[in-house]
Structures are given as structure tokens and as C-alpha cells.
PDB file of all heavy atoms in Angstrom:
ATOM      1  N   VAL A   1      79.073  33.524  45.331  1.00 97.00           N
ATOM      2  CA  VAL A   1      78.725  33.217  46.722  1.00 97.00           C
ATOM      3  C   VAL A   1      78.310  31.756  46.827  1.00 97.00           C
ATOM      4  O   VAL A   1      78.622  31.076  47.802  1.00 97.00           O
ATOM      5  CB  VAL A   1      77.601  34.143  47.212  1.00 97.00           C
ATOM      6  CG1 VAL A   1      77.203  33.806  48.646  1.00 97.00           C
ATOM      7  CG2 VAL A   1      78.031  35.599  47.119  1.00 97.00           C
ATOM      8  N   THR A   2      77.623  31.281  45.826  1.00 95.00           N
ATOM      9  CA  THR A   2      77.215  29.878  45.760  1.00 95.00           C
ATOM     10  C   THR A   2      77.741  29.268  44.468  1.00 95.00           C
ATOM     11  O   THR A   2      77.916  29.969  43.469  1.00 95.00           O
ATOM     12  CB  THR A   2      75.677  29.744  45.793  1.00 95.00           C
ATOM     13  OG1 THR A   2      75.116  30.521  44.730  1.00 95.00           O
ATOM     14  CG2 THR A   2      75.122  30.250  47.120  1.00 95.00           C
ATOM     15  N   PRO A   3      78.008  27.970  44.439  1.00 95.00           N
ATOM     16  CA  PRO A   3      78.550  27.331  43.232  1.00 95.00           C
ATOM     17  C   PRO A   3      77.684  27.592  42.007  1.00 95.00           C
ATOM     18  O   PRO A   3      76.458  27.452  42.050  1.00 95.00           O
ATOM     19  CB  PRO A   3      78.548  25.840  43.607  1.00 95.00           C
ATOM     20  CG  PRO A   3      78.651  25.828  45.101  1.00 95.00           C
ATOM     21  CD  PRO A   3      77.865  27.019  45.565  1.00 95.00           C
ATOM     22  N   GLY A   4      78.321  28.021  40.922  1.00 95.00           N
ATOM     23  CA  GLY A   4      77.607  28.284  39.684  1.00 95.00           C
ATOM     24  C   GLY A   4      76.954  29.644  39.613  1.00 95.00           C
ATOM     25  O   GLY A   4      76.347  29.991  38.597  1.00 95.00           O
ATOM     26  N   GLY A   5      77.100  30.450  40.672  1.00 97.00           N
ATOM     27  CA  GLY A   5      76.496  31.766  40.679  1.00 97.00           C
ATOM     28  C   GLY A   5      77.349  32.802  39.966  1.00 97.00           C
ATOM     29  O   GLY A   5      78.419  32.505  39.434  1.00 97.00           O
ATOM     30  N   GLN A   6      76.879  34.042  39.967  1.00 97.00           N
ATOM     31  CA  GLN A   6      77.614  35.140  39.332  1.00 97.00           C
ATOM     32  C   GLN A   6      78.974  35.303  39.975  1.00 97.00           C
ATOM     33  O   GLN A   6      79.109  35.275  41.200  1.00 97.00           O
ATOM     34  CB  GLN A   6      76.815  36.444  39.480  1.00 97.00           C
ATOM     35  CG  GLN A   6      77.536  37.670  38.924  1.00 97.00           C
ATOM     36  CD  GLN A   6      76.759  38.954  39.173  1.00 97.00           C
ATOM     37  OE1 GLN A   6      75.533  38.945  39.182  1.00 97.00           O
ATOM     38  NE2 GLN A   6      77.461  40.053  39.379  1.00 97.00           N
ATOM     39  N   ASN A   7      79.990  35.516  39.154  1.00 98.00           N
ATOM     40  CA  ASN A   7      81.355  35.692  39.653  1.00 98.00           C
ATOM     41  C   ASN A   7      81.578  37.115  40.167  1.00 98.00           C
ATOM     42  O   ASN A   7      82.470  37.833  39.709  1.00 98.00           O
ATOM     43  CB  ASN A   7      82.374  35.356  38.565  1.00 98.00           C
ATOM     44  CG  ASN A   7      82.496  33.865  38.349  1.00 98.00           C
ATOM     45  OD1 ASN A   7      82.288  33.074  39.262  1.00 98.00           O
ATOM     46  ND2 ASN A   7      82.800  33.470  37.132  1.00 98.00           N
ATOM     47  N   GLY A   8      80.756  37.521  41.105  1.00 98.00           N
ATOM     48  CA  GLY A   8      80.946  38.788  41.780  1.00 98.00           C
ATOM     49  C   GLY A   8      81.168  39.947  40.824  1.00 98.00           C
ATOM     50  O   GLY A   8      80.392  40.197  39.914  1.00 98.00           O
ATOM     51  N   LEU A   9      82.269  40.661  41.045  1.00 98.00           N
ATOM     52  CA  LEU A   9      82.596  41.854  40.265  1.00 98.00           C
ATOM     53  C   LEU A   9      83.463  41.550  39.043  1.00 98.00           C
ATOM     54  O   LEU A   9      84.028  42.468  38.440  1.00 98.00           O
ATOM     55  CB  LEU A   9      83.324  42.861  41.158  1.00 98.00           C
ATOM     56  CG  LEU A   9      82.509  43.426  42.329  1.00 98.00           C
ATOM     57  CD1 LEU A   9      83.409  44.233  43.259  1.00 98.00           C
ATOM     58  CD2 LEU A   9      81.347  44.267  41.826  1.00 98.00           C
ATOM     59  N   GLN A  10      83.567  40.296  38.655  1.00 98.00           N
ATOM     60  CA  GLN A  10      84.459  39.934  37.550  1.00 98.00           C
ATOM     61  C   GLN A  10      84.093  40.665  36.258  1.00 98.00           C
ATOM     62  O   GLN A  10      84.955  41.248  35.598  1.00 98.00           O
ATOM     63  CB  GLN A  10      84.433  38.421  37.343  1.00 98.00           C
ATOM     64  CG  GLN A  10      85.507  37.914  36.412  1.00 98.00           C
ATOM     65  CD  GLN A  10      85.431  36.406  36.244  1.00 98.00           C
ATOM     66  OE1 GLN A  10      84.700  35.919  35.398  1.00 98.00           O
ATOM     67  NE2 GLN A  10      86.183  35.677  37.058  1.00 98.00           N
ATOM     68  N   THR A  11      82.808  40.646  35.887  1.00 98.00           N
ATOM     69  CA  THR A  11      82.379  41.349  34.672  1.00 98.00           C
ATOM     70  C   THR A  11      82.581  42.851  34.815  1.00 98.00           C
ATOM     71  O   THR A  11      83.022  43.527  33.878  1.00 98.00           O
ATOM     72  CB  THR A  11      80.902  41.041  34.369  1.00 98.00           C
ATOM     73  OG1 THR A  11      80.761  39.654  34.097  1.00 98.00           O
ATOM     74  CG2 THR A  11      80.410  41.847  33.173  1.00 98.00           C
ATOM     75  N   PHE A  12      82.259  43.387  35.988  1.00 98.00           N
ATOM     76  CA  PHE A  12      82.416  44.820  36.223  1.00 98.00           C
ATOM     77  C   PHE A  12      83.848  45.265  35.949  1.00 98.00           C
ATOM     78  O   PHE A  12      84.091  46.213  35.194  1.00 98.00           O
ATOM     79  CB  PHE A  12      82.025  45.154  37.663  1.00 98.00           C
ATOM     80  CG  PHE A  12      82.578  46.458  38.156  1.00 98.00           C
ATOM     81  CD1 PHE A  12      82.002  47.660  37.776  1.00 98.00           C
ATOM     82  CD2 PHE A  12      83.698  46.493  38.977  1.00 98.00           C
ATOM     83  CE1 PHE A  12      82.524  48.873  38.207  1.00 98.00           C
ATOM     84  CE2 PHE A  12      84.214  47.695  39.423  1.00 98.00           C
ATOM     85  CZ  PHE A  12      83.634  48.893  39.034  1.00 98.00           C
ATOM     86  N   PHE A  13      84.830  44.602  36.551  1.00 98.00           N
ATOM     87  CA  PHE A  13      86.213  45.033  36.390  1.00 98.00           C
ATOM     88  C   PHE A  13      86.704  44.884  34.956  1.00 98.00           C
ATOM     89  O   PHE A  13      87.572  45.639  34.513  1.00 98.00           O
ATOM     90  CB  PHE A  13      87.130  44.267  37.348  1.00 98.00           C
ATOM     91  CG  PHE A  13      87.184  44.846  38.723  1.00 98.00           C
ATOM     92  CD1 PHE A  13      86.618  44.184  39.795  1.00 98.00           C
ATOM     93  CD2 PHE A  13      87.804  46.067  38.959  1.00 98.00           C
ATOM     94  CE1 PHE A  13      86.665  44.717  41.082  1.00 98.00           C
ATOM     95  CE2 PHE A  13      87.864  46.615  40.231  1.00 98.00           C
ATOM     96  CZ  PHE A  13      87.290  45.937  41.297  1.00 98.00           C
ATOM     97  N   ALA A  14      86.178  43.923  34.229  1.00 98.00           N
ATOM     98  CA  ALA A  14      86.622  43.700  32.853  1.00 98.00           C
ATOM     99  C   ALA A  14      85.975  44.652  31.854  1.00 98.00           C
ATOM    100  O   ALA A  14      86.451  44.780  30.728  1.00 98.00           O
ATOM    101  CB  ALA A  14      86.319  42.258  32.445  1.00 98.00           C
ATOM    102  N   SER A  15      84.903  45.348  32.252  1.00 98.00           N
ATOM    103  CA  SER A  15      84.063  46.068  31.293  1.00 98.00           C
ATOM    104  C   SER A  15      84.568  47.440  30.897  1.00 98.00           C
ATOM    105  O   SER A  15      84.125  47.991  29.885  1.00 98.00           O
ATOM    106  CB  SER A  15      82.639  46.207  31.845  1.00 98.00           C
ATOM    107  OG  SER A  15      82.033  44.946  31.975  1.00 98.00           O
ATOM    108  N   GLN A  16      85.466  48.026  31.670  1.00 98.00           N
ATOM    109  CA  GLN A  16      85.994  49.363  31.378  1.00 98.00           C
ATOM    110  C   GLN A  16      87.211  49.607  32.258  1.00 98.00           C
ATOM    111  O   GLN A  16      87.462  48.874  33.209  1.00 98.00           O
ATOM    112  CB  GLN A  16      84.951  50.454  31.644  1.00 98.00           C
ATOM    113  CG  GLN A  16      84.619  50.689  33.111  1.00 98.00           C
ATOM    114  CD  GLN A  16      83.767  49.631  33.725  1.00 98.00           C
ATOM    115  OE1 GLN A  16      82.732  49.302  33.177  1.00 98.00           O
ATOM    116  NE2 GLN A  16      84.175  49.085  34.872  1.00 98.00           N
ATOM    117  N   GLY A  17      87.957  50.654  31.939  1.00 98.00           N
ATOM    118  CA  GLY A  17      89.039  51.069  32.807  1.00 98.00           C
ATOM    119  C   GLY A  17      88.482  51.743  34.054  1.00 98.00           C
ATOM    120  O   GLY A  17      87.386  52.314  34.035  1.00 98.00           O
ATOM    121  N   ASN A  18      89.249  51.682  35.144  1.00 98.00           N
ATOM    122  CA  ASN A  18      88.773  52.206  36.418  1.00 98.00           C
ATOM    123  C   ASN A  18      89.793  53.144  37.054  1.00 98.00           C
ATOM    124  O   ASN A  18      91.003  52.984  36.879  1.00 98.00           O
ATOM    125  CB  ASN A  18      88.491  51.048  37.384  1.00 98.00           C
ATOM    126  CG  ASN A  18      87.500  50.055  36.811  1.00 98.00           C
ATOM    127  OD1 ASN A  18      86.318  50.314  36.726  1.00 98.00           O
ATOM    128  ND2 ASN A  18      88.009  48.912  36.375  1.00 98.00           N
ATOM    129  N   PHE A  19      89.272  54.111  37.780  1.00 97.00           N
ATOM    130  CA  PHE A  19      90.085  54.949  38.658  1.00 97.00           C
ATOM    131  C   PHE A  19      89.585  54.660  40.071  1.00 97.00           C
ATOM    132  O   PHE A  19      88.430  54.949  40.395  1.00 97.00           O
ATOM    133  CB  PHE A  19      89.934  56.426  38.303  1.00 97.00           C
ATOM    134  CG  PHE A  19      90.469  56.776  36.944  1.00 97.00           C
ATOM    135  CD1 PHE A  19      89.649  56.749  35.824  1.00 97.00           C
ATOM    136  CD2 PHE A  19      91.807  57.105  36.783  1.00 97.00           C
ATOM    137  CE1 PHE A  19      90.145  57.064  34.565  1.00 97.00           C
ATOM    138  CE2 PHE A  19      92.312  57.412  35.520  1.00 97.00           C
ATOM    139  CZ  PHE A  19      91.486  57.387  34.414  1.00 97.00           C
ATOM    140  N   THR A  20      90.427  54.060  40.887  1.00 97.00           N
ATOM    141  CA  THR A  20      89.989  53.494  42.161  1.00 97.00           C
ATOM    142  C   THR A  20      90.647  54.197  43.335  1.00 97.00           C
ATOM    143  O   THR A  20      91.865  54.415  43.331  1.00 97.00           O
ATOM    144  CB  THR A  20      90.314  51.986  42.205  1.00 97.00           C
ATOM    145  OG1 THR A  20      89.725  51.349  41.071  1.00 97.00           O
ATOM    146  CG2 THR A  20      89.760  51.352  43.456  1.00 97.00           C
ATOM    147  N   LEU A  21      89.830  54.517  44.339  1.00 95.00           N
ATOM    148  CA  LEU A  21      90.307  55.186  45.543  1.00 95.00           C
ATOM    149  C   LEU A  21      90.305  54.239  46.734  1.00 95.00           C
ATOM    150  O   LEU A  21      89.555  53.267  46.769  1.00 95.00           O
ATOM    151  CB  LEU A  21      89.419  56.400  45.858  1.00 95.00           C
ATOM    152  CG  LEU A  21      89.223  57.418  44.736  1.00 95.00           C
ATOM    153  CD1 LEU A  21      88.301  58.538  45.195  1.00 95.00           C
ATOM    154  CD2 LEU A  21      90.561  57.986  44.294  1.00 95.00           C
ATOM    155  N   MET A  22      91.130  54.552  47.715  1.00 94.00           N
ATOM    156  CA  MET A  22      91.223  53.784  48.952  1.00 94.00           C
ATOM    157  C   MET A  22      90.414  54.499  50.029  1.00 94.00           C
ATOM    158  O   MET A  22      90.464  55.725  50.149  1.00 94.00           O
ATOM    159  CB  MET A  22      92.693  53.689  49.360  1.00 94.00           C
ATOM    160  CG  MET A  22      93.005  52.676  50.416  1.00 94.00           C
ATOM    161  SD  MET A  22      94.808  52.714  50.721  1.00 94.00           S
ATOM    162  CE  MET A  22      95.025  51.192  51.608  1.00 94.00           C
ATOM    163  N   ASP A  23      89.644  53.744  50.823  1.00 93.00           N
ATOM    164  CA  ASP A  23      88.828  54.352  51.872  1.00 93.00           C
ATOM    165  C   ASP A  23      89.026  53.577  53.179  1.00 93.00           C
ATOM    166  O   ASP A  23      89.986  52.826  53.328  1.00 93.00           O
ATOM    167  CB  ASP A  23      87.365  54.385  51.418  1.00 93.00           C
ATOM    168  CG  ASP A  23      86.535  55.444  52.122  1.00 93.00           C
ATOM    169  OD1 ASP A  23      87.098  56.208  52.920  1.00 93.00           O
ATOM    170  OD2 ASP A  23      85.326  55.499  51.888  1.00 93.00           O
ATOM    171  N   ASN A  24      88.089  53.724  54.097  1.00 92.00           N
ATOM    172  CA  ASN A  24      88.303  53.178  55.435  1.00 92.00           C
ATOM    173  C   ASN A  24      88.266  51.654  55.503  1.00 92.00           C
ATOM    174  O   ASN A  24      88.996  51.044  56.288  1.00 92.00           O
ATOM    175  CB  ASN A  24      87.289  53.763  56.423  1.00 92.00           C
ATOM    176  CG  ASN A  24      85.851  53.559  55.998  1.00 92.00           C
ATOM    177  OD1 ASN A  24      85.492  53.853  54.854  1.00 92.00           O
ATOM    178  ND2 ASN A  24      85.010  53.075  56.893  1.00 92.00           N
ATOM    179  N   HIS A  25      87.429  51.000  54.680  1.00 96.00           N
ATOM    180  CA  HIS A  25      87.322  49.545  54.804  1.00 96.00           C
ATOM    181  C   HIS A  25      88.533  48.811  54.236  1.00 96.00           C
ATOM    182  O   HIS A  25      88.850  47.703  54.681  1.00 96.00           O
ATOM    183  CB  HIS A  25      86.018  49.060  54.174  1.00 96.00           C
ATOM    184  CG  HIS A  25      84.817  49.393  54.995  1.00 96.00           C
ATOM    185  ND1 HIS A  25      84.527  48.766  56.190  1.00 96.00           N
ATOM    186  CD2 HIS A  25      83.847  50.331  54.824  1.00 96.00           C
ATOM    187  CE1 HIS A  25      83.431  49.278  56.713  1.00 96.00           C
ATOM    188  NE2 HIS A  25      82.996  50.243  55.906  1.00 96.00           N
ATOM    189  N   GLU A  26      89.218  49.392  53.275  1.00 96.00           N
ATOM    190  CA  GLU A  26      90.484  48.800  52.822  1.00 96.00           C
ATOM    191  C   GLU A  26      91.513  48.799  53.952  1.00 96.00           C
ATOM    192  O   GLU A  26      92.480  48.047  53.922  1.00 96.00           O
ATOM    193  CB  GLU A  26      91.048  49.579  51.627  1.00 96.00           C
ATOM    194  CG  GLU A  26      90.301  49.386  50.334  1.00 96.00           C
ATOM    195  CD  GLU A  26      89.155  50.368  50.150  1.00 96.00           C
ATOM    196  OE1 GLU A  26      88.825  51.087  51.122  1.00 96.00           O
ATOM    197  OE2 GLU A  26      88.595  50.416  49.060  1.00 96.00           O
ATOM    198  N   LEU A  27      91.296  49.652  54.956  1.00 92.00           N
ATOM    199  CA  LEU A  27      92.214  49.785  56.092  1.00 92.00           C
ATOM    200  C   LEU A  27      91.663  49.151  57.359  1.00 92.00           C
ATOM    201  O   LEU A  27      92.185  49.372  58.455  1.00 92.00           O
ATOM    202  CB  LEU A  27      92.521  51.265  56.344  1.00 92.00           C
ATOM    203  CG  LEU A  27      93.240  51.975  55.194  1.00 92.00           C
ATOM    204  CD1 LEU A  27      93.283  53.476  55.437  1.00 92.00           C
ATOM    205  CD2 LEU A  27      94.649  51.426  55.033  1.00 92.00           C
ATOM    206  N   GLY A  28      90.602  48.363  57.234  1.00 92.00           N
ATOM    207  CA  GLY A  28      90.076  47.669  58.397  1.00 92.00           C
ATOM    208  C   GLY A  28      89.102  48.468  59.227  1.00 92.00           C
ATOM    209  O   GLY A  28      88.617  47.985  60.250  1.00 92.00           O
TER     210      GLY A  28
END
């Protein structure tokens, strides 16, 4: 969010395999 801050979900996505679902916000 700010320069030099945590890269959001970057570590989260790299840390394990995921099973991901689609919900209402992916559709606006």
C-alpha cells in the first residue's frame, strides 16, 4: 500500500497450494 511495505498477499499465495472459489466481489 505504501512504498517498502508488505507485498500484500504475495507471501500467502507462495506459502501453500490453494483451492479458490469465486464469489460476488469477483463479479462486481
Side-chain angles (χ1 to χ4, degrees):
V1 178
T2 56
Q6 176 184 327
N7 285 331
L9 296 171
Q10 191 180 87
T11 296
F12 160 78
F13 276 110
S15 295
Q16 70 285 309
N18 303 286
F19 295 91
T20 305
L21 306 179
M22 194 179 195
D23 203 4
N24 56 310
H25 287 288
E26 288 89 350
L27 297 170

